[in-house]
Amino acid sequence: MGISSNRDLLVSCLWAGATVVVVAVTDSLVLRTALAAPMVFLISGHAMLRALGVRTTSALEHLVYSVGASLATGIGGGFALNAAGLLTPFGWAVWFWAVTSAAALVAARRNAPDLPAWPAPAPVRLWQGATIVLAVLVATGAYALAVRDEAAYREFKYTEFWILPSADGESGRLTVGVRSAETQTQRFDLEIIVDGQPFAVFRALTIAPGETWTRQIPVPAVAARQRAEARLYRPVDNRLYRSVSTLVPPI
Amino acid sequence: MMPARFIARTKINPLQTAIRWAWAVIGPDLSGGSADAPPQQANSRWIAVLCLTVATALLLVVAGHAAGRRGYEVAPLFFWSGVILLVVPITLRVAQPMLARGERLFLLFLLAEALFYCKVVYSPTGFIAFDEFLHGIAADDLITARRLFLSNPLLPIGPTYPGLEILAMAIVNLTGLPLFVAGMLLLAILKGTFIGALFLFFESITGSPRISAIACLTYMGCSTFVLFESMFSYESLGIVLCVLAFAVEAASKDLVRRPRLKALGLIALLLASLAVTHHLSAGFAAIYFGALAVLEALRRHGSLRTHARTVVGLTALLAIALPLLWVQVHGNTLTGYLGPSVETGFKTLIGKILGAPTPRSEHLGAPTQPVGMRLTTLLAILLLSLGLATGFFRSLAMAAPSGVQAGWRPMQDILRRNWRDSRIVLLTLLAFGFPVSVALRLTNAGWEIGNRMGTFVFIAVGLVVAVGIVHFWQGRTPRGWRRIAPAVALTVIVLGGVTTSSLNPIHGRYRVAADQESIEPMGIETARWTKEWLGAGNRFTADRINRLLLASYGRQDARIKIAEGIYSARIFEGEELGSDELYALARSDIDFLLVDLRLSTAPPVLGFYFEPWQPQAGTPISGAELLKFDDIQGVTRIYDNGWIVIYDIRGLHGNF
């Protein structure tokens, strides 16, 4: 036997209104997700389904169709908001509120078909409930482990080295940087050469894993384009480790 | 099963016996099983135990990935024992003849979401598959620019089908979640909706939750179910909208007048969304509804034929007109995008059948998988074929008017266009697509199209195999081997879905030009460096993988094409830069080249470093080829991490 009340429509409208308020006033991820996710995936579609007057015969059917109608509402919203230049968080919230409210009004006026009855829940014993909770905890923990492992493990160990002309095209300044993604602290000597002439030297730079060293280096600006080169040496084996270069723009 | 009858003193003709036996095996006899158990409550004890089994399995899968990242030999043991622990108990339980509908459904959702979990933990904090990057970049652009239809050089057809990106943007904007999390939330909902819709679709046309559940399990054996349809990519949404439209239409088949037109309203909404979401799914929906309309027009059986024909005709009109209209509105980029793949795939297949000379694309062997995976795939294909053989005529017989069940009578009725449900006839005939899709997958050029076909063909395969299992293999009294063997066969079929989903489903060490196996933190960090130190929106070109990373993590304008007729491969390959290539680079607006020296360590796993259409490479590119830019005047090496080098080529344009 179906459920003949229209209370669900009122709840849908209130939920949509609450989503608008929350999106407008708070940045709380939890609160916004708790309200907006059901709005995007279920509630707007449920109201649409009721407005269309589609009769569903089981809870599963109603849920699945509601999700489908919600997805369609969201996609339609993208085009409507794009046309109105309102593809913003508030625009989205208003769209879902408007669609849900309008659909609920139509459904209430046209005397929408009854909702399907919910199936009776299977009786669950304490140990069964505890087992299901344990399963959820194990799966969540496994995910956390996967996240941790991905962040912790790096196949390649390397040192980044770069030289850049001034970002704004202004002549007479270079940026040199070193960043370590090694497993141990490294020591380097760094030499800057401009147009083949030694220009600056930085000795015994000590860079720990994850650390970044950068310097802005003023160079004399001349009328012609100059080539600047930076060389990174490893004192431990006294060999050229990296070499990068750039062009210094003329005045 | 139709028993062979022997009479005493009759001389037994072995050929005749064999033919009789074969007819009995493949024949349309439906008397084998009364498909469903009487309504009963779900067994919470089994559900609780299976939840814990699944959780343990997922832990093993995570351990498998962790071991795989480090190159430990134990990785496959962890991973595959996890997958087996995940698939086998649930499949064996769902395949049981006497089970509550609710329990079957719960277990199907559990299995589908657990398989999705396995896909997500491969890369639990970011997109990993090639297509995911393409759509991730488009969604990021949409969220940033707040405008639709922005160009996407890496997927030119993408902006025409923005459904997925729109939904992702809605979630990101409303919840404040990062794009990846929003995308995974959307995909988890889509996975559940897909299984629910597929189950309802099968249930509407067969009237049996048992057949529906087995059909859903069989669908999970499709090569695209585990990975491809779980990607942040437009087909993941497209197939859901497509199956939803089928389910709504099938559920409304017995309705008349206003209730049916109301259902048509919902179908129209779904088809309109599908038309702007994914071309192939929309195309399949058009084929399905078009063919259904034709079959309804041919059908002789049924009292409400005229009304049914009209509504199905209207549905077909919508399914065909909406995608065409959308293509017309947005310019036809579809032919150029899909045409070459379809043409080359079918040409290669036909060439192979007719014994034509092997095209160049087929000279290189396809990347290989471990023997165990290949054997599982082969066994799954064999079992599917067996299921199709025993289910084909039985499935057709289900469509015959009720009461006509003796011998081959149902087939005579079908041939006289006297069937009860056109959907069953259509799906049974569509199952012929299975051997075609398998054959296409055996060629390098046709693999792509064969793989895509599977997504849709398996809807039909699911139905036919499920009917075969219930009405022939399990039979009237599923005891002994009849109880165990079909369930075991189903587990092999579902496991086949995992083994065919990718070359290597376990996260391993870096491999050259191997799509998701080539994505690792160093490449990502380099792409992020470009955004941090060069700013966003610079024009870059690089190999296929680094282009993706630059465009997504680096927010750079990653280009494939340098100038008319000159693509990135021509720039990077060759020990010297030819005058044409140098001229093209100098005249182009490309700012930077990114060179990944790891390419020189091995031949490309997928056969190409830069573009899929370049000649397949069997030998690695040399370091000298990649580093030739060091000697070109006007080009400077601004970044070097020992493996990845970035060249600034703005000096070639005379920008300074």
Side-chain angles (χ1 to χ4, degrees), chain B residues 489-507:
Chain B
L490 270 172
T491 63
V492 175
I493 289 170
V494 179
L495 285 172
V498 183
T499 56
T500 50
S501 64
S502 79
L503 279 177
N504 180 15
I506 311 169
H507 204 309

Side-chain angles (χ1 to χ4, degrees), chain B residues 235-534:
Chain B
E235 52 268 317
S236 303
L237 175 58
I239 185 68
V240 175
L241 293 170
C242 188
V243 173
L244 267 167
F246 297 172
V248 178
E249 193 280 329
S252 67
K253 68 183 187 329
D254 297 325
L255 300 176
V256 286
R257 310 211 183 280
R258 281 181 70 85
R260 186 142 193 194
L261 289 176
K262 285 173 183 173
L264 182 61
L266 180 58
I267 296 169
L269 208 61
L270 293 167
L271 289 176
S273 306
L274 181 58
V276 299
T277 295
H278 186 225
H279 39 77
L280 275 182
S281 307
F284 181 69
I287 292 170
Y288 174 84
F289 284 118
L292 192 61
V294 171
L295 286 176
E296 278 296 300
L298 291 172
R299 183 163 75 101
R300 285 183 174 158
H301 181 267
S303 53
L304 295 162
R305 285 201 315 271
T306 315
H307 184 260
R309 276 174 193 165
T310 314
V311 179
V312 172
L314 271 174
T315 313
L317 192 68
L318 282 171
I320 295 165
L322 288 171
L324 286 178
L325 201 67
W326 184 246
V327 166
Q328 289 308 312
V329 169
H330 270 272
N332 186 5
T333 46
L334 197 59
T335 324
Y337 177 69
L338 291 177
S341 298
V342 177
E343 193 184 336
T344 325
F346 277 99
K347 263 187 184 169
T348 311
L349 179 62
I350 290 166
K352 273 205 166 181
I353 292 166
L354 300 176
T358 317
R360 209 174 159 182
S361 64
E362 303 300 306
H363 282 163
L364 269 168
T368 52
Q369 288 182 312
V371 179
M373 283 175 75
R374 278 187 283 167
L375 281 178
T376 309
T377 304
L378 276 175
L379 192 57
I381 291 174
L382 199 72
L383 290 169
L384 282 167
S385 308
L386 207 59
L388 287 173
T390 50
F392 182 80
F393 289 115
R394 289 182 173 85
S395 194
L396 278 179
M398 279 183 75
S402 42
V404 186
Q405 291 196 343
W408 288 86
R409 260 297 292 289
M411 293 305 103
Q412 290 171 354
D413 276 297
I414 299 288
L415 289 172
R416 288 188 197 120
R417 295 187 277 133
N418 193 15
W419 57 76
R420 173 171 69 76
D421 192 340
S422 304
R423 290 152 203 84
I424 298 179
V425 177
L426 176 58
L427 285 181
T428 310
L429 296 177
L430 279 178
F432 275 115
F434 177 71
V436 179
S437 75
V438 171
L440 279 166
R441 281 173 64 94
L442 295 176
T443 66
N444 285 346
W447 184 90
E448 188 97 12
I449 191 76
N451 194 43
R452 299 284 203 282
M453 259 181 88
T455 305
F456 307 109
V457 163
F458 256 77
I459 299 173
V461 171
L463 174 74
V464 177
V465 171
V467 170
I469 286 177
V470 169
H471 286 290
F472 177 72
W473 294 104
Q474 289 185 329
R476 188 179 296 142
T477 47
R479 289 198 199 101
W481 74 268
R482 282 183 179 278
R483 195 181 174 93
I484 301 296
V488 171
L490 270 172
T491 63
V492 175
I493 289 170
V494 179
L495 285 172
V498 183
T499 56
T500 50
S501 64
S502 79
L503 279 177
N504 180 15
I506 311 169
H507 204 309
R509 296 178 76 79
Y510 170 88
R511 293 214 293 167
V512 174
D515 278 6
Q516 63 189 40
E517 293 181 76
S518 307
I519 290 166
E520 53 67 59
M522 185 170 76
I524 293 171
E525 287 304 319
T526 305
R528 284 190 173 135
W529 177 90
T530 65
K531 187 180 168 194
E532 184 184 351
W533 289 94
L534 302 175

